Amino acid sequence: MANHKSAKNRIVRNNKRSVINGARRSRVRTFVKKVEAAILSGNKEQAVAAFKVAESELMRSVRKGVFKMNTVARTTSRLSKKIKSL
């Protein structure tokens, strides 16, 4: 257990951030799943619309520090490639 006041504050802060980041990560995954579902159904218009929303969510997660830029770039690239092949 932490002995310093600042270390105790960090524990509290880290727990709060962990919950917030977990919610953001889950939100992004949900949007990505919506794109993949649209791709599987073969509906290109719906996939493009879902991709546009998912891409902005992914970029927001990078800005907030939830995901790294390369991870998001790889994900968007793969989704875009799948949509173009429809």
Side-chain angles (χ1 to χ4, degrees), residues 23-39 46-61 67 75-76 79 83:
R24 285 192 177 129
R25 198 174 301 117
S26 174
R27 180 179 164 89
V28 167
R29 286 180 183 147
T30 301
F31 281 106
V32 170
K33 282 179 188 172
K34 286 180 182 176
V35 176
E36 288 171 346
I39 291 169
Q46 189 179 359
V48 169
F51 177 71
K52 190 174 180 183
V53 175
E55 190 177 20
S56 68
E57 282 296 324
L58 284 161
M59 289 304 163
R60 183 177 295 131
S61 72
F67 290 110
T75 305
T76 54
L79 288 173
I83 290 172

Side-chain angles (χ1 to χ4, degrees), residues 34-53 78-86:
K34 286 180 182 176
V35 176
E36 288 171 346
I39 291 169
L40 285 175
S41 71
N43 190 341
K44 189 167 185 171
E45 294 81 26
Q46 189 179 359
V48 169
F51 177 71
K52 190 174 180 183
V53 175
R78 287 177 181 171
L79 288 173
S80 159
K81 187 176 168 185
K82 287 178 184 175
I83 290 172
K84 286 179 184 172
S85 71
L86 284 178

Side-chain angles (χ1 to χ4, degrees), residues 58-59 62 67-76:
L58 284 161
M59 289 304 163
V62 170
F67 290 110
K68 291 185 177 177
M69 185 61 207
N70 282 355
T71 305
V72 169
R74 184 176 64 245
T75 305
T76 54

